[in-house]
Amino acid sequence: MTEVVASAPGKIILTGEHFVVHGACAIAAAVDRRVKVTFSSVSGQPFIQSGRIRSALTDKDGKFLLVKAILREVQSRNKARDSFAVKISSDIPAGSGLGSSAAVAVATSAAALKFNGLEATDSKIQELAMIGEKQVHGNPSGIDVESSMRGGLILFSRASGAKSVPLDKALNFLIVYSGKTRKTSALISRVSLKKEMFPHFFSSLARSASFLSLEFLDALTCGDLPRIGALMNISQATLDWIGVSTPSMDKLIENLASQDVFGVKLTGAGGGGSVIALPKPGSNKALSKYVRRNFQWSFFTSLPQEGLRWENSNQNS
Ligand code: PMV
C-alpha cells in the first residue's frame, strides 16, 4: 500500500495579528501541537476522515472545505490518483486561534503533492496551502501558513514575506484556550469595518503595530523577558480597541495577569480563541496548577518548534 504522511504545527501570533492583514509586520511562532495528515491508497470512492467525521470528496456537505479545495486544485493540474483516503488527526482545537486550519492546509498540501508524484517543494506546498486557507478565511495574510511551514519564529509582512528569527535561548509560553471557537473570516471583516470608520487612526495603529513588532524582535534578541511581556500587554490593549477581544477574554486575561507572568495577550483572530502568557522564570509549576484548576485546555510550549515534517511514509506501492 502506498502511504504518505506529513505533519505541521499550529502557531501563536506574538505581535501584529489583524494589522498584518493590512500590511503591518507581525511575529509568529510554531508551537508543539501538530496536525498529521495521511494519504493512503484504498479501493473505491475517495474520502476524507477526521475522528468520526467522514465525507466523500464529492459530497457538498460543507465538511472539510479546505481539504477539498486543495484536492480539487491538485486534480485540476494533473491526473491525480483517484482511489485514496485522507485521514487527519489533530491535537489543535479547530477555531482556537492556534492556526489549526493552516496546519491542516500545510500538511495536506505536502502529502497530496507527494502522494500524487508531484514536486513537493516549499513554494509549491505553500501556494497550494494558501488556496486552502483562502477557502476558509477569505483574505488571510499568509502568516499562519508561513509559520506552520517554516516552524521556529518568523517576522512576517505581506510585502516582504517571512524571515526566520533565530533564538539564542529557548522561550517558554503558556497557552490557554478559552473554549470559545470563532471564525477568523468574520473577525477580519469586523476589523475592516473599523478601518473604514477610522481610516487615518487605523493606519497609524497599523504603523505602530509594525514598530511594536520590531521592538519585540529587539527584546527577543536581548532575551529581555520583562520588555517582551510589556509589549504583549500593549499589543492586547490595541487588539481590544479594534474590537477583537471580548468581555470573557478580558476576564481570562485579567486572571492570568494576576499570576506570575510578564505579559498576557490574546493570540490570533480573537473573539474567543486563545490567550498566551509569558511566565516568569520558575513559575511553571504554580501556573500549571492554577490553569488546570481554572481552564479546560492549556499547555506550555517551548520555542522554537519544528515546522512541516514528513512522517514515516511508504511509497513502495
Ligand atoms: O485564524 P487565527 O486565529 O489563527 O489568526 C489569524 C491571524 C489574523 O491576523 C487575524 C489573520 C491573518 O490572516 O493574518
Side-chain angles (χ1 to χ4, degrees):
M1 182 173 86
T2 300
E3 189 173 88
V4 174
V5 192
S7 79
K11 63 90 199 53
I12 49 177
I13 298 189
L14 299 163
T15 63
E17 52 269 89
H18 283 293
F19 296 108
V20 67
V21 174
H22 304 277
C25 297
I27 298 176
V31 296
D32 70 347
R33 289 292 182 278
R34 303 181 74 85
V35 168
K36 191 165 96 177
V37 177
T38 304
F39 274 65
S40 51
S41 49
V42 290
S43 52
Q45 284 288 312
F47 67 89
I48 307 161
Q49 185 158 2
S50 177
R52 289 208 204 124
I53 305 169
R54 182 173 163 146
S55 174
L57 211 58
T58 45
D59 285 353
K60 304 246 177 305
D61 53 9
K63 293 179 186 138
F64 304 114
L65 291 178
L66 180 155
V67 176
K68 287 178 185 171
I70 290 171
L71 294 173
R72 269 198 310 275
E73 182 64 25
V74 171
Q75 281 169 338
S76 75
R77 288 182 193 177
N78 285 75
K79 169 103 192 66
R81 288 169 184 260
D82 48 16
S83 280
F84 60 91
V86 183
K87 293 203 175 129
I88 302 167
S89 67
S90 171
D91 45 33
I92 312 165
S96 62
L98 299 174
S100 79
S101 68
V104 170
V106 168
T108 302
S109 301
L113 289 169
K114 194 163 172 192
F115 182 76
N116 287 294
L118 300 169
E119 221 189 354
T121 57
D122 283 0
S123 66
K124 293 235 155 72
I125 296 168
Q126 187 173 355
E127 187 201 349
L128 199 53
M130 280 305 284
I131 290 171
E133 272 281 271
K134 281 186 186 143
Q135 180 71 36
V136 287
H137 289 330
N139 180 27
S141 63
I143 190 170
D144 286 17
V145 163
E146 280 281 6
S147 177
S148 185
M149 286 266 325
R150 288 175 178 246
L153 256 87
I154 59 165
L155 174 69
F156 176 91
S157 75
R158 282 191 124 150
S160 311
K163 211 171 113 205
S164 292
V165 177
L167 270 182
D168 287 343
K169 228 172 123 200
L171 270 179
N172 176 39
F173 276 89
L174 169 65
I175 298 169
V176 179
Y177 174 37
S178 67
K180 187 176 181 303
T181 58
R182 75 293 168 289
K183 280 192 90 170
T184 300
S185 54
L187 285 140
I188 292 180
S189 305
R190 189 190 297 176
V191 173
S192 294
L193 285 179
K194 255 305 196 285
K195 182 182 176 184
E196 271 167 39
M197 227 188 288
F198 305 101
H200 300 299
F201 188 47
F202 189 91
S203 91
S204 75
L205 285 180
R207 271 201 307 278
S208 69
S210 287
F211 285 125
L212 191 132
S213 294
L214 297 178
E215 176 86 29
F216 195 96
L217 206 61
D218 186 59
L220 272 178
T221 313
C222 306
D224 187 344
L225 300 183
R227 185 148 62 107
I228 293 174
L231 291 165
M232 287 168 68
N233 295 337
I234 297 172
S235 171
Q236 172 59 28
T238 319
L239 289 166
D240 202 6
W241 188 83
I242 59 170
V244 297
S245 200
T246 63
S248 64
M249 291 196 86
D250 292 345
K251 187 87 202 129
L252 169 54
I253 288 168
E254 197 184 308
N255 286 338
L256 282 173
S258 69
Q259 302 301 305
D260 233 359
V261 299
F262 286 120
V264 196
K265 68 182 277 289
L266 68 81
T267 185
S274 301
V275 161
I276 55 172
L278 179 62
K280 292 190 176 164
S283 66
N284 271 21
K285 211 161 156 201
L287 266 176
S288 154
K289 207 163 146 198
Y290 172 78
V291 288
R292 257 191 281 126
R293 222 179 20 234
N294 292 286
F295 310 105
Q296 275 193 344
W297 199 87
S298 61
F299 65 101
F300 288 90
T301 188
S302 68
L303 307 181
Q305 291 289 330
E306 196 180 357
L308 169 67
R309 98 178 155 225
W310 299 107
E311 306 288 344
N312 286 336
S313 298
N314 165 13
Q315 290 259 51
N316 296 336
S317 90

